[in-house]
Amino acid sequence: MSKSADRPLRVLSLSTLYPHDLAPGFGVFVDRQMQAVAARGDVDLTLVSPLGLPPFPLSLHPRYRALRALPEQEQCGKVRVMRPRFTLLPAIGARFNAGAITRAVLPLARELHARQPFDLIDAQFFHPDGLAAVRIAEALNLPVSIKARGADIHHWGRHKGTAAQVLAAGQRATGLLAVAEGLANDMVALGLPHEKIGIHRTGLDADLFRRYNRRMCRNQLGLPCNARVLATVGALIPRKGQRFAIEALAELPDAILLLAGRGEDEAMLRSLAERLGVADRVRFLGAVPHGELPIVLNAADIFVLPSASEGLANAWVEALACGTPVITTPIPGAQELLTNPAWGRMVPREGPAIAAAVRDILSAPPAPETVQAAVAGMSWQANAAALVAHWRRLVAA
């Protein structure tokens, strides 16, 4: 379908991760991107965030009753968000999610398209969004774009129940995006077509993530002003590797570790801290609202995230914007970002290696302004401009 130059580009974007009142930090980076897209004025954007609800009797659980009460459509800032419901089989149903989402979203997409035609279907993740977006686009005879962010390739692209779906989605899509060159290489290794893949890195809210007064931030968190402080931000799950940061703490007797996030590993991490005798120096902060993360990042001397895999972690970018150097693992996205030793270190997922890197950085701390240079030029406005340009190329083709 051709697009007239005198009207906005009409895009239906599918994202299973998107914030709502019960989980305001859920996919906040997608929200920041889409708010920036909508603010441009040259895209008529409809964001569809399918909401998974299990069948009876699991649906009676208070968590799912609360989710069911969320509005099916609302205006979130400048973005219109629609939440059609699909049947979710918790823990065991990953392979069925793309089909369930397609059945839930396609009738809505047909109705909206009949009223005012879309130019393109977009998916913000490869699984389960990608294959559903491809099927919807094929039904409406539209081009489709899919973005890869990390775990959707590294986990779902190798999972026996979903690998074939990831491959099919990528092969049938009109265009693909990856947040880092290394992730693009991993996509090609799975069998996805290299010629379809563009690089689209993350954005940054530089008004929020910037230098704050460290003493003020530490006072707000109840930390000693002269302490050595490490911080990590992310879900408490095995892939993020917070256990290795706790193991490092055992070799850093004067350091405090801030853990921002919640997840399945919390009980194990608390037990590990007790066993290693560092429980009094590990602060579990829980789920910190996105707007309060700069307090945590500015209170820290070093940000530590020993991930097994990432695309290009927003947390790295936000820490660097606060002038806080990063210690992470030598995964491709980090290798692309941390090209100056002043910006951080890449080490194995081992407590002693992390501790050694901490001591090395603290022996000659870089100036915050030097660290901030790592993310100079990153913004959600630039991110949105690049995304819209990618969409336009697909529509024009």
Side-chain angles (χ1 to χ4, degrees), residues 184-207:
N185 293 336
D186 293 340
M187 293 163 69
V188 173
L190 290 180
L192 299 180
H194 182 271
E195 66 276 8
K196 288 186 181 181
I197 305 173
I199 305 304
H200 184 238
R201 294 189 167 86
T202 190
L204 172 69
D205 184 347
D207 292 330

Side-chain angles (χ1 to χ4, degrees), residues 241-262:
Q242 289 93 345
R243 64 167 298 158
F244 302 106
I246 292 175
E247 289 173 0
L249 206 63
E251 299 193 16
L252 300 166
D254 60 344
I256 294 171
L257 174 64
L258 307 177
L259 288 180
R262 287 189 178 138

Side-chain angles (χ1 to χ4, degrees), residues 164-363:
Q165 296 181 13
V166 169
L167 184 60
Q171 290 175 336
R172 289 157 61 182
T174 316
L176 307 173
L177 292 173
V179 295
E181 292 279 359
L183 183 59
N185 293 336
D186 293 340
M187 293 163 69
V188 173
L190 290 180
L192 299 180
H194 182 271
E195 66 276 8
K196 288 186 181 181
I197 305 173
I199 305 304
H200 184 238
R201 294 189 167 86
T202 190
L204 172 69
D205 184 347
D207 292 330
L208 178 63
F209 291 94
R210 54 181 174 78
R211 287 297 297 162
Y212 292 30
N213 181 276
R214 177 166 288 175
R215 181 182 292 271
M216 177 199 75
C217 294
R218 291 190 173 185
N219 285 342
Q220 191 163 331
L221 295 171
L223 299 169
C225 289
N226 60 349
R228 299 297 195 185
V229 178
L230 314 179
T232 185
V233 174
L236 306 184
I237 56 177
R239 180 171 63 86
K240 296 292 184 180
Q242 289 93 345
R243 64 167 298 158
F244 302 106
I246 292 175
E247 289 173 0
L249 206 63
E251 299 193 16
L252 300 166
D254 60 344
I256 294 171
L257 174 64
L258 307 177
L259 288 180
R262 287 189 178 138
E264 63 193 57
D265 273 7
E266 182 168 344
M268 178 276 289
L269 295 171
R270 288 183 181 275
S271 176
L272 176 63
E274 290 283 356
R275 190 165 70 252
L276 295 178
V278 298
D280 61 329
R281 294 189 286 120
V282 179
R283 309 285 178 88
F284 287 85
L285 304 181
V288 177
H290 191 251
E292 297 176 18
L293 285 178
I295 301 295
V296 176
L297 297 173
N298 274 281
D301 296 287
I302 299 173
F303 178 78
V304 181
L305 190 65
S307 297
S309 66
E310 295 282 353
L312 188 77
N314 289 73
W316 296 336
V317 172
E318 291 165 352
L320 293 166
C322 292
T324 305
V326 169
I327 294 175
T328 188
T329 48
I331 49 184
Q335 292 172 353
E336 293 170 40
L337 182 64
L338 302 177
T339 57
N340 184 329
W343 301 343
R345 302 286 190 278
M346 291 170 283
V347 300
R349 300 179 93 208
E350 301 168 356
I354 294 169
V358 168
R359 288 191 291 265
D360 187 34
I361 292 174
L362 293 180
S363 68

